[in-house]
């Protein structure tokens, strides 16, 4: 088996998630999205063999290559990286969830390309760290973007996504996750139903779970350093 240490590492992750949920007072399920960026199709097969059902890719083209190579492997594909407008045609109907919707023109393009008889679940990426280099809509523009998505027949807004700053200051990291949860609560008061909070990666997922994450995106922690 490729990645022979994966089942043990995954078990450790699940134990951390259980402990972090207890600290935060949460009981909802937390999905582990196995990020296979930089690894070949064998990483996806190993993830499925270890019991994972969700796989995340950063780039549409890399995901398409793996999807075509793996055929009917029973896994839900997530697009977690930035989506450019010129890649939307390739992305539609390929992913169970697109995590990185962050601007009106991208919403418009997705709505134009997505068949209306099929609903594409999406998350809005929000810049909760305040870092200019980070992707994501600014919090003050979030509600307008959410309303735009709600008006698109082929799109289904399922929640929010963020990335915390790469910081050793726990308060800084936790603050980004807490802010996303607070923004979700505000949108729900405005009538949006947003069950998903995608936040937390290999270095900070425990804090994200404490703050209410429903999905964590783990790559290096599960698979080690990238191979390609």
């Amino acid at each position: 088996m490729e990645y022979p240490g994966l089942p043990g590492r995954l078990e450790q992750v699940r134990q951390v998630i259980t402990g972090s949920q207890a600290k935060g007072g949460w009981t909802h399920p937390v999905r582990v999205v196995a990020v296979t960026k930089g690894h070949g199709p064998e990483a996806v097969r190993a993830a499925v063999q270890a019991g994972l059902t969700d796989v995340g890719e950063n780039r549409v083209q890399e995901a398409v290559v793996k999807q075509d190579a793996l055929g009917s492997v029973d896994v839900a594909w997530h697009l977690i990286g930035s989506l450019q407008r010129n890649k939307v045609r390739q992305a539609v109907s390929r992913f169970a969830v697109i995590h990185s919707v962050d601007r009106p023109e991208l919403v418009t393009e997705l709505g134009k390309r997505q068949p209306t008889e099929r609903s594409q679940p999406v998350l809005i990426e929000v810049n909760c760290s305040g870092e200019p280099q980070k992707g994501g809509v600014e919090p003050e523009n979030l509600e307008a973007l959410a309303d735009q998505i709600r008006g698109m027949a082929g799109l289904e807004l399922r929640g929010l996504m963020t990335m915390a700053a790469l910081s050793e200051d726990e308060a800084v990291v936790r603050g980004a996750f807490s802010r996303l949860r607070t923004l979700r609560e505000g949108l729900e008061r405005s009538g949006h139903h947003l069950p998903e909070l995608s936040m937390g990666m290999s270095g900070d997922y425990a804090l994200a779970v404490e703050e209410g994450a429903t999905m964590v995106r783990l790559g290096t922690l599960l698979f080690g350093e990238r191979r390609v």
Side-chain angles (χ1 to χ4, degrees):
M1 173 185 174
E2 291 274 359
Y3 305 94
L6 178 57
R9 290 193 291 272
L10 179 58
E11 178 57 30
Q12 291 177 344
V13 164
R14 295 200 189 283
Q15 290 175 7
V16 170
I17 288 173
T18 297
S20 295
Q21 279 208 297
K23 289 180 183 178
W26 307 104
T27 59
H28 57 255
V30 176
R31 272 191 283 174
V32 175
V33 179
V35 180
T36 53
K37 174 186 177 182
H39 297 267
E42 66 277 2
V44 180
R45 294 192 188 95
V48 173
Q49 290 172 7
L52 289 163
T53 57
D54 298 88
V55 167
E57 284 290 335
N58 285 66
R59 299 185 179 92
V60 174
Q61 287 174 304
E62 186 175 345
V64 168
V65 169
K66 290 175 188 173
Q67 289 170 351
D68 291 346
L70 291 164
S72 59
V73 169
D74 188 16
V75 68
W77 295 86
H78 297 243
L79 182 64
I80 63 173
S82 179
L83 176 59
Q84 302 304 315
R85 287 178 63 192
N86 63 356
K87 300 296 182 185
V88 167
R89 185 191 294 270
Q90 292 176 275
V92 293
S93 303
R94 284 271 187 175
F95 298 95
V97 186
I98 295 174
H99 290 228
S100 50
V101 176
D102 62 354
R103 56 201 187 278
E105 58 269 28
L106 180 58
V107 173
T108 299
E109 189 70 15
L110 281 165
K112 182 169 69 173
R113 300 295 182 185
Q114 178 64 30
T116 55
E117 69 274 10
R118 301 178 63 180
S119 181
Q120 172 65 65
V122 300
L123 308 180
I124 295 177
E125 181 178 1
V126 187
N127 185 346
C128 288
S129 70
E131 297 174 292
Q133 72 272 22
K134 281 274 199 305
V137 65
E138 295 301 319
E140 59 268 25
N141 299 323
L142 172 59
E143 187 166 1
L145 193 62
D147 289 343
Q148 182 190 3
I149 293 171
R150 183 159 56 181
M152 291 288 179
L155 304 182
E156 179 190 1
L157 180 57
R158 296 284 297 161
L160 307 178
M161 183 269 258
T162 200
M163 291 185 288
L166 186 61
S167 172
E168 295 183 1
D169 186 337
E170 181 178 308
V172 170
V173 175
R174 186 186 294 276
F177 299 143
S178 175
R179 188 175 193 190
L180 192 72
R181 189 186 70 247
T182 300
L183 290 168
R184 190 263 299 270
E185 291 167 355
L187 284 177
E188 289 192 323
R189 287 193 295 270
S190 299
H192 292 276
H193 176 59
L194 304 172
E196 303 291 357
L197 288 178
S198 171
M199 55 189 195
M201 300 188 294
S202 290
D204 56 21
Y205 76 100
L207 290 176
V209 172
E210 283 188 41
E211 293 298 329
T214 67
M215 289 189 277
V216 294
R217 311 178 303 271
L218 307 182
T220 304
L221 190 61
L222 295 177
F223 301 107
E225 296 300 323
R226 299 170 189 166
R227 297 186 174 187
V228 294

